[in-house]
Amino acid sequence: MIKGVDLSTFQRNVDYEALKREGVEFAIIRCGYGKDCGQKDEMFEEHYAGCKAAGIKVGAYHYSYCTCVDNATLEAQNCLSYIEGKEFDLPVFYD
């Protein structure tokens, strides 16, 4: 079994090196939520950079609460804009 964590705006002041020392091998990081372009997770960049620097494998997820195809399309477009230019070790999930 491997150990991982879910990181989002609700986890602050994370010691990524300590996570690594505790055996955390991967993090799935929330990149955003919803259909509005201002809904990028405010901790996404920090969590991404911190995990990468500590050698923790990274994946991402976009939290959805859409109720129709048009909103799902907007959410997918936002997700792609939030993760643009990033390199992931694990999948990007649509939650």
Side-chain angles (χ1 to χ4, degrees):
M1 182 183 339
I2 61 174
K3 187 189 273 189
V5 294
D6 172 351
L7 297 173
S8 71
T9 194
F10 301 106
Q11 289 75 45
R12 297 188 177 261
N13 302 312
V14 174
D15 184 337
Y16 304 99
E17 293 294 335
L19 288 178
K20 182 71 172 179
R21 286 192 302 275
E22 292 295 320
V24 171
E25 296 181 47
F26 72 93
I28 307 300
I29 306 168
R30 185 176 79 162
C31 63
Y33 56 95
K35 65 178 177 59
D36 297 326
C37 60
Q39 293 176 296
K40 181 176 182 179
D41 189 296
E42 62 186 41
M43 292 296 293
F44 175 66
E45 298 293 338
E46 183 175 327
H47 289 322
Y48 177 87
C51 287
K52 284 293 199 176
I56 297 170
K57 293 179 181 176
V58 173
Y61 70 97
H62 184 91
Y63 183 79
S64 171
Y65 51 84
C66 71
T67 57
C68 68
V69 172
D70 288 340
N71 287 349
T73 300
L74 291 171
E75 287 185 349
Q77 290 169 344
N78 288 336
C79 178
L80 289 172
S81 73
Y82 301 153
I83 65 173
E84 185 175 0
K86 302 285 190 279
E87 293 184 20
F88 293 97
D89 309 294
L90 301 167
V92 175
F93 301 93
Y94 189 68
D95 182 11

